[in-house]
Amino acid sequence: MEEPIIQARDLGICFAKGKQKKGRVKDLFVRRAANQKGVAAQDFWPLRHVNFDIFPGDAVGIIGRNGTGKSTLLRLITGVLIPDEGYVRREGRVAPLIALSAGFSGDLTGRENVNLVGALHGMTNKEIKAKYDEIVEFSELEDFMDTPLKHYSSGMKVRLGFGVITQLPHPILLVDEALAVGDAAFKRKCQAVIAGLLKEGRTLVFVSHSEGDLKKYCKRGIFLDAGTLVTDGTVEEALDSYKTAEKRDADARAERKQREAAAKAAAEQAAAPALVPGAVEAAT
């Protein structure tokens, strides 16, 4: 039986409200200090009790509303975040199309940043040299490779980052809304590159709000809601679950507004001055 390339078991991670997840040791001290002061812990679990297996060559769309743990899940897979419960394991290295300018230094040139980021992701000097021309051609930054990155626009940084990451030979590709940036021509180039990587048999975990992109790249979908895995099936099934949850919440909001409006009207009526019998006749 084929072994999963990514496996999650009872996976969960906890954040303190209003604080970023800095690190396990520091977090322990923060919580301990809060408890000593009698401050009630305000923990938030963006993900909890999550279980799934992803197999080599799978293309899986992670679907859910904002704040439901999609990007957090990708960061757990990469190892950037450490779970508080359970575990996530992966076999093989990750090419992360998440923060495309991560690892870049503003004081270094584009050329130097290609070497830096490539090395950070495990590429040898020989591999970087062999791929350098392709990276530059893709990013269309031939005239700026000897310019310090601090003079690049955000779009130029994204182009360079995408060019480097997609040259990594790693078997797992994580994409977090990377196709939502850039102009139409750049998006088409990104789409062509990802399609090519999938044909090579790479494993894709794809976070997107675009139903079209999800259906284009993914056969399987995982729908997350309120930090839990609700649906793990075809991408169409996961999208249907998402739409059902959206409708349910919209109906609940409409019902709540109706109740609030009725309560306000009742309160205003109760606060209105009562008419004294005969007062109108006396006034006339």
Side-chain angles (χ1 to χ4, degrees):
M1 184 177 177
E2 190 176 30
E3 292 294 321
I5 195 169
I6 303 172
Q7 182 181 70
R9 289 292 180 270
D10 201 31
L11 180 63
I13 188 168
C14 182
F15 295 109
K17 286 186 177 179
K19 297 182 180 293
Q20 293 182 342
K21 188 81 171 178
K22 298 292 186 180
R24 295 297 296 276
V25 175
K26 182 176 180 181
D27 192 49
L28 287 173
F29 281 111
V30 170
R31 292 185 189 179
R32 184 177 299 169
N35 290 336
Q36 289 174 350
K37 293 178 182 180
V39 178
Q42 290 186 311
D43 288 343
F44 166 63
W45 292 83
L47 290 170
R48 201 169 197 188
H49 306 311
V50 172
N51 296 277
F52 60 80
D53 290 329
I54 295 175
F55 294 90
D58 278 353
V60 183
I62 308 299
I63 300 165
R65 289 162 290 183
N66 290 330
T68 55
K70 304 184 300 298
S71 297
T72 299
L73 178 59
L74 292 193
R75 283 159 175 75
L76 285 163
I77 293 173
T78 63
V80 172
L81 294 177
I82 302 172
D84 291 293
E85 290 181 350
Y87 66 85
V88 58
R89 291 176 183 162
R90 70 174 192 271
E91 298 295 331
R93 303 192 68 173
V94 170
L97 289 167
I98 300 176
L100 288 172
S101 58
F104 284 164
S105 171
D107 292 326
L108 299 180
T109 65
R111 185 188 306 273
E112 291 166 336
N113 272 289
V114 168
N115 287 283
L116 172 64
V117 175
L120 287 174
H121 285 286
M123 295 178 73
T124 65
N125 287 335
K126 183 178 180 179
E127 289 172 331
I128 294 171
K129 288 179 180 178
K131 296 292 186 180
Y132 180 81
D133 288 342
E134 292 181 53
I135 293 169
V136 175
E137 181 181 358
F138 177 87
S139 62
E140 301 175 358
L141 295 172
E142 293 89 344
D143 296 333
F144 301 95
M145 294 308 294
D146 293 311
T147 301
L149 206 78
K150 60 187 176 183
H151 299 307
Y152 281 30
S153 68
S154 57
M156 292 166 70
K157 293 176 185 176
V158 166
R159 287 173 181 265
L160 190 61
F162 199 102
V164 175
I165 298 301
T166 52
Q167 292 298 330
L168 298 177
H170 306 338
I172 302 171
L173 183 64
L174 303 183
V175 181
D176 188 0
E177 295 288 5
L179 302 183
V181 296
D183 55 27
F186 178 68
K187 289 178 184 177
R188 286 193 294 270
K189 289 179 70 171
C190 294
Q191 291 168 350
V193 168
I194 291 178
L197 293 174
L198 289 175
K199 286 182 180 179
E200 294 176 6
R202 307 282 185 103
T203 301
L204 172 68
V205 183
F206 183 43
V207 169
S208 178
H209 287 98
S210 168
E211 183 173 334
D213 285 343
L214 287 163
K215 289 182 175 180
K216 177 185 292 186
Y217 299 114
C218 305
K219 291 184 171 61
R220 178 177 163 197
I222 289 176
F223 170 52
L224 299 173
D225 195 25
T228 61
L229 194 158
V230 177
T231 302
D232 184 353
T234 66
V235 69
E236 288 81 7
E237 289 170 341
L239 285 167
D240 286 343
S241 293
Y242 170 77
K243 292 171 185 176
T244 298
E246 283 278 273
K247 184 179 185 307
R248 178 198 65 210
D249 289 352
D251 291 344
R253 286 193 297 270
E255 184 179 347
R256 185 171 61 251
K257 286 183 179 180
Q258 288 177 350
R259 290 198 305 267
E260 290 172 353
K264 182 179 179 181
E268 289 174 349
Q269 185 176 0
L275 292 176
V276 179
V280 175
E281 293 81 354
T284 56

